[in-house]
PDB file of all heavy atoms in Angstrom:
ATOM      1  N   LEU A 138     -23.089  23.332  19.940  1.00 96.00           N
ATOM      2  CA  LEU A 138     -24.479  22.893  20.045  1.00 96.00           C
ATOM      3  C   LEU A 138     -24.588  21.386  20.100  1.00 96.00           C
ATOM      4  O   LEU A 138     -25.254  20.811  20.901  1.00 96.00           O
ATOM      5  CB  LEU A 138     -25.308  23.537  18.981  1.00 96.00           C
ATOM      6  CG  LEU A 138     -26.768  23.057  18.874  1.00 96.00           C
ATOM      7  CD1 LEU A 138     -27.545  23.401  20.123  1.00 96.00           C
ATOM      8  CD2 LEU A 138     -27.400  23.631  17.639  1.00 96.00           C
ATOM      9  N   VAL A 268     -32.322 -11.227  12.981  1.00 87.00           N
ATOM     10  CA  VAL A 268     -32.007 -11.723  14.350  1.00 87.00           C
ATOM     11  C   VAL A 268     -33.290 -11.978  15.087  1.00 87.00           C
ATOM     12  O   VAL A 268     -33.449 -12.994  15.797  1.00 87.00           O
ATOM     13  CB  VAL A 268     -31.151 -10.713  15.110  1.00 87.00           C
ATOM     14  CG1 VAL A 268     -30.968 -11.110  16.543  1.00 87.00           C
ATOM     15  CG2 VAL A 268     -29.775 -10.599  14.450  1.00 87.00           C
ATOM     16  N   GLU A 294     -35.513 -32.719  11.459  1.00 55.00           N
ATOM     17  CA  GLU A 294     -36.687 -32.946  10.609  1.00 55.00           C
ATOM     18  C   GLU A 294     -36.759 -31.917   9.528  1.00 55.00           C
ATOM     19  O   GLU A 294     -36.332 -30.775   9.659  1.00 55.00           O
ATOM     20  CB  GLU A 294     -37.967 -32.942  11.482  1.00 55.00           C
ATOM     21  CG  GLU A 294     -37.999 -34.042  12.533  1.00 55.00           C
ATOM     22  CD  GLU A 294     -39.254 -33.988  13.376  1.00 55.00           C
ATOM     23  OE1 GLU A 294     -40.197 -33.243  12.935  1.00 55.00           O
ATOM     24  OE2 GLU A 294     -39.322 -34.641  14.386  1.00 55.00           O
ATOM     25  N   GLY A 383      -5.173   0.041  -3.223  1.00 85.00           N
ATOM     26  CA  GLY A 383      -4.301   0.594  -2.253  1.00 85.00           C
ATOM     27  C   GLY A 383      -4.954   1.022  -0.905  1.00 85.00           C
ATOM     28  O   GLY A 383      -4.279   1.520  -0.040  1.00 85.00           O
ATOM     29  N   PRO A 527     -31.464 -23.397  28.577  1.00 59.00           N
ATOM     30  CA  PRO A 527     -31.404 -24.784  28.189  1.00 59.00           C
ATOM     31  C   PRO A 527     -30.031 -25.433  28.542  1.00 59.00           C
ATOM     32  O   PRO A 527     -29.031 -24.733  28.759  1.00 59.00           O
ATOM     33  CB  PRO A 527     -31.560 -24.720  26.672  1.00 59.00           C
ATOM     34  CG  PRO A 527     -31.245 -23.337  26.226  1.00 59.00           C
ATOM     35  CD  PRO A 527     -31.603 -22.486  27.431  1.00 59.00           C
ATOM     36  N   ASN A 649      19.227   0.921  -7.560  1.00 82.00           N
ATOM     37  CA  ASN A 649      19.640   2.344  -7.812  1.00 82.00           C
ATOM     38  C   ASN A 649      20.731   2.703  -6.835  1.00 82.00           C
ATOM     39  O   ASN A 649      20.535   3.387  -5.821  1.00 82.00           O
ATOM     40  CB  ASN A 649      18.425   3.280  -7.625  1.00 82.00           C
ATOM     41  CG  ASN A 649      18.799   4.704  -7.921  1.00 82.00           C
ATOM     42  OD1 ASN A 649      19.763   4.985  -8.666  1.00 82.00           O
ATOM     43  ND2 ASN A 649      18.043   5.622  -7.383  1.00 82.00           N
ATOM     44  N   MET A 935      45.358  -6.959 -24.321  1.00 96.00           N
ATOM     45  CA  MET A 935      44.406  -5.943 -24.738  1.00 96.00           C
ATOM     46  C   MET A 935      45.101  -4.843 -25.513  1.00 96.00           C
ATOM     47  O   MET A 935      44.527  -4.288 -26.460  1.00 96.00           O
ATOM     48  CB  MET A 935      43.684  -5.364 -23.512  1.00 96.00           C
ATOM     49  CG  MET A 935      42.814  -6.304 -22.773  1.00 96.00           C
ATOM     50  SD  MET A 935      42.167  -5.661 -21.192  1.00 96.00           S
ATOM     51  CE  MET A 935      41.134  -4.328 -21.786  1.00 96.00           C
TER      52      MET A 935
END
Side-chain angles (χ1 to χ4, degrees):
L138 173 63
V268 172
E294 296 180 13
N649 182 23
M935 294 172 66

